[in-house]
């Protein structure tokens, strides 16, 4: 009796760990902690992320004012503006998703909504688990950028 209840409890834990909600939560948390290093506190992570979002916003405003397509420096500011806005939007989406994925009551709803892309989420989750063993330093930034490019459309569905 005790053994059977323990086994069913363990199976239930494995089911919860392997569901789409948990996988997505682990992915978003890992990416956000990589983007915005902070201590393990969720509130500190959200605070630091908000600071970085504000930095991107102010940098984008500055570059936007300096755009002048008749000079090389003005073209640089245009490219810097576009890059900064992209990073701003990605980080904001990551933070919004992090907040949603830390609400346990949303688990069932998110698992249901993400059932059409659960194979993509699982593939990203497995990639995240295995990346530490195979990634060489020269390709690390390109890998994370490609990873985020695949993740962002999935996170956009959470909104």
């Amino acid at each position: 009796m005790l053994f059977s209840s323990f086994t069913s409890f363990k199976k239930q834990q494995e089911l919860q760990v392997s569901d789409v909600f948990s996988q997505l939560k682990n992915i978003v948390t890992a990416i956000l902690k990589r983007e915005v290093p902070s201590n393990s506190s969720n509130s500190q992570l959200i605070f630091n992320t908000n600071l970085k979002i504000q930095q991107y916003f102010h940098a984008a405003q500055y570059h936007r004012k300096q755009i002048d397509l008749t000079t090389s420096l003005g073209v640089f500011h245009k490219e810097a503006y576009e890059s900064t806005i992209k990073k701003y939007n990605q980080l904001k989406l990551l933070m919004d998703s992090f907040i949603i994925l830390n609400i346990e009551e949303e688990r069932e709803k998110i698992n249901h909504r993400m059932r059409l892309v659960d194979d993509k989420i699982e593939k990203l989750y497995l990639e995240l688990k295995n990346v530490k063993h195979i990634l060489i330093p020269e390709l690390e930034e390109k890998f994370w950028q490609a990873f985020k490019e695949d993740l962002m459309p999935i996170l956009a569905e959470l909104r």
Side-chain angles (χ1 to χ4, degrees), residues 59-146:
Q61 282 182 327
Y62 170 77
H63 289 299
R64 185 170 183 232
K65 291 177 184 175
Q66 305 301 322
I67 292 175
D68 179 10
L69 298 179
T70 61
T71 65
S72 295
L73 193 56
V75 172
F76 161 78
H77 284 293
K78 178 184 179 289
E79 292 168 0
Y81 170 75
E82 291 169 353
S83 173
T84 305
I85 286 295
K86 182 178 179 180
K87 288 181 179 185
Y88 168 84
N89 288 331
Q90 284 181 344
L91 193 57
K92 188 146 176 47
L93 183 57
L94 275 171
M95 187 183 71
D96 292 345
S97 300
F98 177 78
I99 291 169
I100 290 170
L101 291 167
N102 276 292
I103 302 172
E104 191 63 33
E105 291 79 24
E106 296 289 319
R107 178 182 293 272
E108 213 173 296
K109 183 176 154 187
I110 290 174
N111 279 334
H112 180 71
R113 286 176 62 197
M114 295 291 139
R115 72 179 185 270
L116 295 176
V117 291
D118 63 347
D119 56 331
K120 293 178 184 176
I121 294 170
E122 186 172 355
K123 189 174 183 178
L124 288 172
Y125 181 71
L126 292 173
E127 191 75 35
L128 183 66
K129 285 176 59 174
N130 296 325
V131 72
K132 297 173 188 168
H133 306 292
I134 58 168
L135 200 58
I136 58 174
E138 294 84 19
L139 297 176
E140 187 172 358
E141 192 56 41
K142 285 185 177 183
F143 170 82
W144 289 113
Q145 193 59 39

Side-chain angles (χ1 to χ4, degrees), residues 143-157:
F143 170 82
W144 289 113
Q145 193 59 39
F147 192 90
K148 286 191 293 186
E149 292 294 326
D150 287 343
L151 180 63
M152 290 303 139
I154 295 169
L155 295 181
E157 291 183 27

Side-chain angles (χ1 to χ4, degrees), residues 18-53:
S18 66
D19 70 349
V20 173
F21 180 87
S22 296
Q23 290 175 348
L24 206 50
K25 182 177 178 179
N26 288 336
I27 291 169
V28 169
T29 302
I31 295 292
L32 196 57
K33 285 184 177 182
R34 185 184 177 284
E35 294 286 320
V36 185
S38 67
N39 63 12
S40 61
S41 165
N42 284 350
S43 59
Q44 186 69 31
L45 182 61
I46 291 171
F47 177 76
N48 289 343
T49 303
N50 273 326
L51 288 178
K52 195 164 186 177
I53 287 171

